Every structure is written in structure tokens, then in C-alpha cells.
Amino acid sequence: MAEIALFPIPELVAFPGHEVPLHIFEPRYRKMVTDCVAADRPIGVCHTRKEIRAAKPSASTEEALNSNQATYLPFEVFSAGPCRIHETLPDGRIHASIDMTARYRVIEEVQTLPYKIVRAELLADEDAASQYVALQKEINDSLLALIGDEHEQLRKILSEESWVTQSSEDFSYRIFQFLKFEADVMQQLLECNSIESRLHLIGGLLSGNLVH
């Protein structure tokens, strides 16, 4: 169990193994980032179910830097990891990044204001030790076929031995460095507790043969 600060961002679903860059201007999230870096507390970035309170439509940059914007209801499953501050600008804005190390599920909220902190359990795949080589190859071949000959550097990455021979679990997360679906679909993939199920879902989405 871990205590994690939550940064809800609509339409953004992060996976373990990804680095998420952040440009932070709201006071509550600037405080969250500086507090968490000082306390070595992980930060989770999560897609949102709905907007609870809308931002002011005509807020200026100065107003945005001195007031909190929209408030959202986050999904319970998210990825989290340690945050690094790269730069703090003279006006207070922060450039930072989060290295996503694992998936978590919210158990309970332990702080609401000025930002949300939750107690969360680590979410592990039930078949974490299993390998699905044929499924990985099928997905990789489909992605190579989709990108064609235009993206030479990406084709090179997807053909490297280190990429082709990585574990099925790592592959099922890292593939989203190059592949994106609608946020709600990405959330569904994040919440899969089976590597095999996740890979089958990815394959179905790529082939267009997904059955709902």
C-alpha cells in the first residue's frame, strides 16, 4: 500500500515504463509537485470520469497562475512514479516529468485539499511471469504494416532485437509509446489485469476485429 498524490488530466492515460512531461501552472499542482519531490512521494496521473467544476472560460494567464482551474473526478486505476522538477520559471510555472513505475488502484482518499492524496494498492498482472511471443509478434507486425515505409526510425526501433525479445508485460505497456487509442479505450487497457487479455485487446483494435 502506498500514499500517492493524484494529478487528474482528462484524456491522458499513462502506462508503466512511460515518462510523462508536465507543464504545471495551477497553484495547487505547483504545491503538489514541490511537496511530493521534497517528501519523495509518488505522483499518479489519471484520466478523468467527469468534470466536477469548470474553469473560468475567460481566465487570463495571470489569473490561471493564481487560481485553480477545473476540478475532475479521476478514474480509480492509474500509473504513478517519482516526479522530477526540471525548471521553475520566474512566474512560478514548473516543467517536470513523472517516471511511471507501476499501476495502482485507489483504496481510499486520505487528503482532499489543496490536492488529492490517496492510499492505493499495487495492481499486478495475474499472469506477470507468462510470455506470449506469438501475440507480441502479431501486434508488432500489424503496427509495422500500419506505419508503412514512411517512418524509418520507428521501423528500426520496432525491429531491434531488444524490442522484439522484451517480456510480454513490458511490451504490453511500452507499445503505447507508439500507439494511441481513444482515452476511454486506453483506460480499459490499463485496467486489464491479464497480459494476455491486454494483448488480445490491442490486437483486436489494430485489426479492426474487436468484438464489444
Side-chain angles (χ1 to χ4, degrees):
M1 204 76 69
E3 286 196 358
I4 301 172
L6 286 190
F7 197 155
I9 303 178
E11 308 300 314
L12 179 55
V13 179
F15 290 81
H18 293 195
E19 181 181 80
V20 176
L22 298 171
H23 174 204
I24 307 150
F25 57 89
E26 286 189 54
R28 58 182 162 181
Y29 294 126
R30 298 203 309 262
K31 178 171 174 53
M32 179 184 74
V33 165
T34 53
D35 288 352
C36 288
V37 169
D40 199 24
R41 173 181 285 124
I43 296 176
V45 171
C46 46
H47 179 33
T48 59
R49 292 186 181 277
K50 65 178 182 179
E51 185 179 71
I52 297 173
R53 181 177 60 81
K56 296 178 181 178
S58 59
S60 66
T61 301
E62 184 178 356
E63 289 172 333
L65 287 167
N66 291 285
S67 63
N68 295 319
Q69 302 300 302
T71 300
Y72 300 95
L73 178 67
F75 276 91
E76 290 80 11
V77 173
F78 59 91
S79 295
C83 181
R84 290 178 294 155
I85 295 175
H86 302 293
E87 182 182 21
T88 301
L89 301 178
D91 61 10
R93 287 177 295 151
I94 295 173
H95 289 148
S97 63
I98 302 173
D99 294 317
M100 298 299 174
T101 57
R103 295 180 304 151
Y104 293 87
R105 177 187 286 114
V106 173
I107 298 300
E108 61 179 342
E109 187 173 314
V110 297
Q111 176 180 300
T112 303
L113 297 173
Y115 54 83
K116 193 183 298 291
I117 296 177
V118 298
R119 188 169 289 112
E121 63 177 355
L122 192 65
L123 195 59
D125 287 312
E126 58 193 28
D127 54 350
S130 300
Q131 300 300 317
Y132 302 99
V133 177
L135 276 173
Q136 282 179 238
K137 185 178 186 306
E138 180 182 329
I139 291 168
N140 214 51
D141 288 348
S142 294
L143 191 52
L144 283 166
L146 282 172
I147 64 176
D149 298 324
E150 298 178 9
H151 304 283
E152 183 178 345
Q153 186 59 34
L154 179 54
R155 293 187 66 85
K156 182 180 178 181
I157 292 171
L158 297 178
S159 301
E160 288 176 352
E161 184 178 0
S162 59
W163 174 264
V164 174
T165 60
Q166 67 184 306
S167 73
S168 294
E169 184 174 41
D170 286 348
F171 177 87
S172 75
Y173 294 140
R174 292 180 64 202
I175 191 72
F176 298 112
Q177 294 173 4
F178 315 112
L179 185 63
K180 294 289 185 292
F181 302 110
E182 290 183 359
D184 286 347
V185 174
M186 297 286 277
Q187 183 68 32
Q188 182 183 355
L189 287 158
L190 183 69
E191 293 182 10
C192 279
N193 285 336
S194 159
I195 301 167
E196 185 176 21
S197 296
R198 191 179 306 117
L199 292 176
H200 274 302
L201 183 52
I202 295 168
L205 288 161
L206 282 174
S207 68
N209 295 325
L210 184 66
V211 178
H212 294 279

